[in-house]
Amino acid sequence: MTAEDAAVASPFWRFSLAVYADPEVAKVCLELQDEAGADVNVLLYMLWAASRGRRLSADDVRPIVAAVEDWRKGVVVPLRTARRSLRAPPAAVDAAGSAALRSQVKKVELEAERLQQEALYRLRPVDDLGRAEPSPEAAAAANVAAYGEVIGRKFSGHAMEVLLGALKRQQARGGSK
């Protein structure tokens, strides 16, 4: 992210970039996305809300998911599908051209995800969501579990460990705001 990008990005986007930069977090998020149908942006929002001392219930999470579901399904997922399809183009398609297009699609996909996160950030002040929770780790565990409940999934203990560890590291760096 450039200095200009950082100046206009929300605290949530900056938090997400910092947390997702951890390769183990990225791996777990993508596994949850591909295997459990989780929206990585919403997962990161659950962690960010926890970093702000907010514990969310499934009733708090439902409108969050609903607010971005059309964007996720109509924009983010098709871009991801196109990017993944470009990894191995048909023999008739120029491989170098396909790789260049894949790079462009990846940039557009990232921008679509940033726009989704900015929408989540503006949805409602996070400090008004749920209830106060003095332990960010307890809030994160509850928030991720509530999200799992909303989408009808229970996330593995390993995934929870990785996500909670990332939150702890981000908190230690002073990255909750």
Side-chain angles (χ1 to χ4, degrees), residues 32-34 36-43 64-81 109 112-113 115-116 120 147 151:
L32 293 175
Q33 172 185 279
D34 293 342
D39 181 332
V40 171
N41 292 314
V42 174
L43 270 173
I64 293 167
V65 171
V68 295
E69 187 64 9
D70 288 343
W71 180 260
R72 184 184 75 79
K73 284 182 177 177
V75 177
V76 175
V77 171
L79 286 168
R80 179 182 314 124
T81 301
E109 179 188 3
E113 292 200 354
L115 290 172
Q116 180 180 342
L120 287 167
Y147 175 54
I151 65 169

Side-chain angles (χ1 to χ4, degrees), residues 1-134:
M1 172 168 37
T2 67
E4 183 178 301
D5 293 337
V8 297
S10 70
F12 171 41
W13 179 248
R14 290 190 302 270
F15 171 89
S16 294
L17 290 176
V19 168
Y20 198 81
D22 179 326
E24 192 173 6
V25 171
K27 181 181 178 204
V28 163
C29 284
L30 292 177
E31 286 170 359
L32 293 175
Q33 172 185 279
D34 293 342
E35 296 168 14
D39 181 332
V40 171
N41 292 314
V42 174
L43 270 173
L44 292 169
Y45 190 82
M46 296 298 105
L47 295 180
W48 184 64
S51 79
R52 304 281 304 187
R54 305 310 299 176
R55 182 184 188 118
L56 309 180
S57 68
D59 288 339
D60 298 318
V61 174
R62 279 185 193 88
I64 293 167
V65 171
V68 295
E69 187 64 9
D70 288 343
W71 180 260
R72 184 184 75 79
K73 284 182 177 177
V75 177
V76 175
V77 171
L79 286 168
R80 179 182 314 124
T81 301
R83 176 183 50 80
R84 288 178 172 178
S85 294
L86 289 165
R87 280 186 196 147
V93 175
D94 175 63
S98 179
L101 179 58
R102 183 175 188 274
S103 178
Q104 291 174 336
V105 170
K106 187 175 182 177
K107 288 177 187 174
V108 173
E109 179 188 3
L110 183 62
E111 178 62 9
E113 292 200 354
R114 186 191 69 79
L115 290 172
Q116 180 180 342
Q117 286 202 6
E118 297 299 336
L120 287 167
Y121 177 75
R122 289 188 315 273
L123 183 63
R124 183 170 161 200
V126 72
D127 295 338
D128 293 345
L129 291 173
R131 64 180 175 84
E133 171 60 61

